[in-house]
PDB file of all heavy atoms in Angstrom:
ATOM      1  N   GLY Y  30     216.497 -76.699  -7.088  1.00 96.00           N
ATOM      2  CA  GLY Y  30     217.857 -76.246  -7.246  1.00 96.00           C
ATOM      3  C   GLY Y  30     218.128 -75.314  -8.437  1.00 96.00           C
ATOM      4  O   GLY Y  30     217.310 -74.461  -8.756  1.00 96.00           O
ATOM      5  N   ALA Y  31     219.222 -75.564  -9.140  1.00 97.00           N
ATOM      6  CA  ALA Y  31     219.693 -74.648 -10.192  1.00 97.00           C
ATOM      7  C   ALA Y  31     218.646 -74.586 -11.349  1.00 97.00           C
ATOM      8  O   ALA Y  31     218.451 -73.527 -11.933  1.00 97.00           O
ATOM      9  CB  ALA Y  31     220.987 -75.165 -10.754  1.00 97.00           C
ATOM     10  N   GLY Y  32     218.040 -75.704 -11.647  1.00 98.00           N
ATOM     11  CA  GLY Y  32     216.960 -75.724 -12.616  1.00 98.00           C
ATOM     12  C   GLY Y  32     217.436 -75.883 -14.045  1.00 98.00           C
ATOM     13  O   GLY Y  32     216.707 -75.527 -14.969  1.00 98.00           O
ATOM     14  N   SER Y  33     218.629 -76.514 -14.253  1.00 98.00           N
ATOM     15  CA  SER Y  33     219.085 -76.639 -15.649  1.00 98.00           C
ATOM     16  C   SER Y  33     218.151 -77.590 -16.451  1.00 98.00           C
ATOM     17  O   SER Y  33     217.888 -77.375 -17.562  1.00 98.00           O
ATOM     18  CB  SER Y  33     220.529 -77.154 -15.685  1.00 98.00           C
ATOM     19  OG  SER Y  33     220.631 -78.449 -15.244  1.00 98.00           O
ATOM     20  N   ASN Y  34     217.667 -78.627 -15.770  1.00 98.00           N
ATOM     21  CA  ASN Y  34     216.698 -79.522 -16.445  1.00 98.00           C
ATOM     22  C   ASN Y  34     215.410 -78.798 -16.729  1.00 98.00           C
ATOM     23  O   ASN Y  34     214.823 -78.954 -17.819  1.00 98.00           O
ATOM     24  CB  ASN Y  34     216.434 -80.790 -15.655  1.00 98.00           C
ATOM     25  CG  ASN Y  34     217.592 -81.825 -15.820  1.00 98.00           C
ATOM     26  OD1 ASN Y  34     217.621 -82.481 -16.836  1.00 98.00           O
ATOM     27  ND2 ASN Y  34     218.413 -81.894 -14.775  1.00 98.00           N
ATOM     28  N   ALA Y  35     214.960 -78.036 -15.775  1.00 98.00           N
ATOM     29  CA  ALA Y  35     213.721 -77.295 -15.968  1.00 98.00           C
ATOM     30  C   ALA Y  35     213.858 -76.414 -17.201  1.00 98.00           C
ATOM     31  O   ALA Y  35     212.953 -76.291 -18.067  1.00 98.00           O
ATOM     32  CB  ALA Y  35     213.356 -76.422 -14.718  1.00 98.00           C
ATOM     33  N   ALA Y 102     212.145 -82.263 -11.419  1.00 98.00           N
ATOM     34  CA  ALA Y 102     213.479 -82.028 -12.057  1.00 98.00           C
ATOM     35  C   ALA Y 102     214.383 -81.489 -10.975  1.00 98.00           C
ATOM     36  O   ALA Y 102     214.584 -80.279 -10.835  1.00 98.00           O
ATOM     37  CB  ALA Y 102     213.322 -81.040 -13.210  1.00 98.00           C
ATOM     38  N   GLY Y 103     214.889 -82.392 -10.174  1.00 97.00           N
ATOM     39  CA  GLY Y 103     215.725 -82.043  -9.058  1.00 97.00           C
ATOM     40  C   GLY Y 103     214.902 -81.468  -7.912  1.00 97.00           C
ATOM     41  O   GLY Y 103     215.294 -80.510  -7.224  1.00 97.00           O
ATOM     42  N   LEU Y 105     213.482 -82.053  -4.150  1.00 93.00           N
ATOM     43  CA  LEU Y 105     214.079 -82.917  -3.095  1.00 93.00           C
ATOM     44  C   LEU Y 105     213.102 -83.297  -1.968  1.00 93.00           C
ATOM     45  O   LEU Y 105     213.518 -83.953  -1.021  1.00 93.00           O
ATOM     46  CB  LEU Y 105     215.322 -82.162  -2.558  1.00 93.00           C
ATOM     47  CG  LEU Y 105     216.388 -81.931  -3.534  1.00 93.00           C
ATOM     48  CD1 LEU Y 105     217.666 -81.310  -2.939  1.00 93.00           C
ATOM     49  CD2 LEU Y 105     216.732 -83.181  -4.360  1.00 93.00           C
ATOM     50  N   ASN Y 122     209.858 -88.580 -12.488  1.00 98.00           N
ATOM     51  CA  ASN Y 122     211.081 -88.006 -11.772  1.00 98.00           C
ATOM     52  C   ASN Y 122     212.281 -88.378 -12.586  1.00 98.00           C
ATOM     53  O   ASN Y 122     212.335 -89.382 -13.280  1.00 98.00           O
ATOM     54  CB  ASN Y 122     211.149 -88.628 -10.382  1.00 98.00           C
ATOM     55  CG  ASN Y 122     212.408 -88.149  -9.622  1.00 98.00           C
ATOM     56  OD1 ASN Y 122     212.730 -86.921  -9.621  1.00 98.00           O
ATOM     57  ND2 ASN Y 122     213.119 -89.039  -8.949  1.00 98.00           N
ATOM     58  N   ILE Y 123     213.329 -87.532 -12.475  1.00 98.00           N
ATOM     59  CA  ILE Y 123     214.648 -87.921 -13.055  1.00 98.00           C
ATOM     60  C   ILE Y 123     215.580 -88.107 -11.883  1.00 98.00           C
ATOM     61  O   ILE Y 123     215.637 -87.320 -10.959  1.00 98.00           O
ATOM     62  CB  ILE Y 123     215.207 -86.900 -14.028  1.00 98.00           C
ATOM     63  CG1 ILE Y 123     216.387 -87.478 -14.832  1.00 98.00           C
ATOM     64  CG2 ILE Y 123     215.504 -85.558 -13.377  1.00 98.00           C
ATOM     65  CD1 ILE Y 123     216.629 -86.897 -16.167  1.00 98.00           C
ATOM     66  N   HIS Y 124     216.316 -89.303 -11.963  1.00 98.00           N
ATOM     67  CA  HIS Y 124     217.290 -89.556 -10.921  1.00 98.00           C
ATOM     68  C   HIS Y 124     218.670 -89.698 -11.543  1.00 98.00           C
ATOM     69  O   HIS Y 124     218.821 -90.348 -12.596  1.00 98.00           O
ATOM     70  CB  HIS Y 124     216.871 -90.908 -10.160  1.00 98.00           C
ATOM     71  CG  HIS Y 124     217.756 -91.189  -9.009  1.00 98.00           C
ATOM     72  ND1 HIS Y 124     217.574 -90.577  -7.774  1.00 98.00           N
ATOM     73  CD2 HIS Y 124     218.845 -91.973  -8.875  1.00 98.00           C
ATOM     74  CE1 HIS Y 124     218.523 -90.969  -6.991  1.00 98.00           C
ATOM     75  NE2 HIS Y 124     219.299 -91.828  -7.590  1.00 98.00           N
ATOM     76  N   PRO Y 125     219.695 -89.115 -10.927  1.00 98.00           N
ATOM     77  CA  PRO Y 125     221.041 -89.028 -11.558  1.00 98.00           C
ATOM     78  C   PRO Y 125     221.895 -90.273 -11.350  1.00 98.00           C
ATOM     79  O   PRO Y 125     223.103 -90.218 -11.010  1.00 98.00           O
ATOM     80  CB  PRO Y 125     221.638 -87.851 -10.904  1.00 98.00           C
ATOM     81  CG  PRO Y 125     221.053 -87.826  -9.505  1.00 98.00           C
ATOM     82  CD  PRO Y 125     219.684 -88.376  -9.640  1.00 98.00           C
ATOM     83  N   MET Y 136     219.486 -89.782  -1.073  1.00 95.00           N
ATOM     84  CA  MET Y 136     220.276 -89.923  -2.266  1.00 95.00           C
ATOM     85  C   MET Y 136     219.858 -88.971  -3.328  1.00 95.00           C
ATOM     86  O   MET Y 136     218.900 -89.170  -4.023  1.00 95.00           O
ATOM     87  CB  MET Y 136     220.119 -91.391  -2.839  1.00 95.00           C
ATOM     88  CG  MET Y 136     221.086 -92.405  -2.239  1.00 95.00           C
ATOM     89  SD  MET Y 136     222.778 -91.915  -2.710  1.00 95.00           S
ATOM     90  CE  MET Y 136     223.635 -93.241  -1.909  1.00 95.00           C
ATOM     91  N   TYR Y 137     220.512 -87.811  -3.335  1.00 94.00           N
ATOM     92  CA  TYR Y 137     220.204 -86.864  -4.344  1.00 94.00           C
ATOM     93  C   TYR Y 137     221.476 -86.049  -4.657  1.00 94.00           C
ATOM     94  O   TYR Y 137     222.472 -86.009  -3.896  1.00 94.00           O
ATOM     95  CB  TYR Y 137     219.129 -85.864  -3.808  1.00 94.00           C
ATOM     96  CG  TYR Y 137     219.482 -85.176  -2.556  1.00 94.00           C
ATOM     97  CD1 TYR Y 137     220.224 -84.006  -2.572  1.00 94.00           C
ATOM     98  CD2 TYR Y 137     219.035 -85.711  -1.376  1.00 94.00           C
ATOM     99  CE1 TYR Y 137     220.523 -83.348  -1.348  1.00 94.00           C
ATOM    100  CE2 TYR Y 137     219.343 -85.070  -0.154  1.00 94.00           C
ATOM    101  CZ  TYR Y 137     220.115 -83.876  -0.172  1.00 94.00           C
ATOM    102  OH  TYR Y 137     220.464 -83.293   1.010  1.00 94.00           O
ATOM    103  N   GLY Y 138     221.440 -85.441  -5.880  1.00 93.00           N
ATOM    104  CA  GLY Y 138     222.557 -84.560  -6.289  1.00 93.00           C
ATOM    105  C   GLY Y 138     223.884 -85.203  -6.140  1.00 93.00           C
ATOM    106  O   GLY Y 138     224.189 -86.353  -6.446  1.00 93.00           O
ATOM    107  N   HIS Y 191     224.548 -84.755 -16.262  1.00 98.00           N
ATOM    108  CA  HIS Y 191     223.707 -83.605 -16.667  1.00 98.00           C
ATOM    109  C   HIS Y 191     223.619 -83.585 -18.241  1.00 98.00           C
ATOM    110  O   HIS Y 191     222.511 -83.285 -18.765  1.00 98.00           O
ATOM    111  CB  HIS Y 191     224.335 -82.279 -16.213  1.00 98.00           C
ATOM    112  CG  HIS Y 191     223.621 -81.734 -15.014  1.00 98.00           C
ATOM    113  ND1 HIS Y 191     224.301 -81.497 -13.811  1.00 98.00           N
ATOM    114  CD2 HIS Y 191     222.319 -81.434 -14.804  1.00 98.00           C
ATOM    115  CE1 HIS Y 191     223.402 -80.995 -12.947  1.00 98.00           C
ATOM    116  NE2 HIS Y 191     222.224 -80.949 -13.479  1.00 98.00           N
ATOM    117  N   GLU Y 194     220.952 -86.029 -18.980  1.00 98.00           N
ATOM    118  CA  GLU Y 194     219.620 -85.591 -18.573  1.00 98.00           C
ATOM    119  C   GLU Y 194     219.084 -84.557 -19.598  1.00 98.00           C
ATOM    120  O   GLU Y 194     217.950 -84.619 -20.020  1.00 98.00           O
ATOM    121  CB  GLU Y 194     219.741 -84.905 -17.239  1.00 98.00           C
ATOM    122  CG  GLU Y 194     220.053 -85.914 -16.122  1.00 98.00           C
ATOM    123  CD  GLU Y 194     220.092 -85.368 -14.730  1.00 98.00           C
ATOM    124  OE1 GLU Y 194     220.360 -84.140 -14.549  1.00 98.00           O
ATOM    125  OE2 GLU Y 194     219.805 -86.121 -13.775  1.00 98.00           O
TER     126      GLU Y 194
HETATM  127  C1  GAR K  21     219.659 -83.468 -11.451  1.00 64.79           C
HETATM  128  O1  GAR K  21     220.909 -84.069 -11.746  1.00 64.79           O
HETATM  129  C2  GAR K  21     218.658 -84.513 -11.030  1.00 64.79           C
HETATM  130  O2  GAR K  21     218.861 -85.737 -11.574  1.00 64.79           O
HETATM  131  C3  GAR K  21     218.945 -84.523  -9.535  1.00 64.79           C
HETATM  132  O3  GAR K  21     219.149 -83.215  -9.147  1.00 64.79           O
HETATM  133  C4  GAR K  21     219.793 -82.509 -10.253  1.00 64.79           C
HETATM  134  C5  GAR K  21     219.078 -81.224 -10.533  1.00 64.79           C
HETATM  135  O4  GAR K  21     219.859 -80.419 -11.416  1.00 64.79           O
HETATM  136  N1  GAR K  21     217.782 -85.133  -8.796  1.00 64.79           N
HETATM  137  C6  GAR K  21     217.944 -85.884  -7.717  1.00 64.79           C
HETATM  138  O5  GAR K  21     219.004 -86.055  -7.204  1.00 64.79           O
HETATM  139  C7  GAR K  21     216.645 -86.425  -7.184  1.00 64.79           C
HETATM  140  N2  GAR K  21     216.910 -87.467  -6.273  1.00 64.79           N
HETATM  141  P1  GAR K  21     219.215 -79.146 -12.063  1.00 64.79           P
HETATM  142  O6  GAR K  21     218.558 -78.326 -10.920  1.00 64.79           O
HETATM  143  O7  GAR K  21     220.355 -78.458 -12.703  1.00 64.79           O
HETATM  144  O8  GAR K  21     218.129 -79.585 -13.036  1.00 64.79           O
END
Side-chain angles (χ1 to χ4, degrees):
S33 70
N34 279 285
L105 301 185
N122 179 44
I123 192 158
H124 187 78
M136 270 295 181
Y137 57 85
H191 260 122
E194 293 184 330

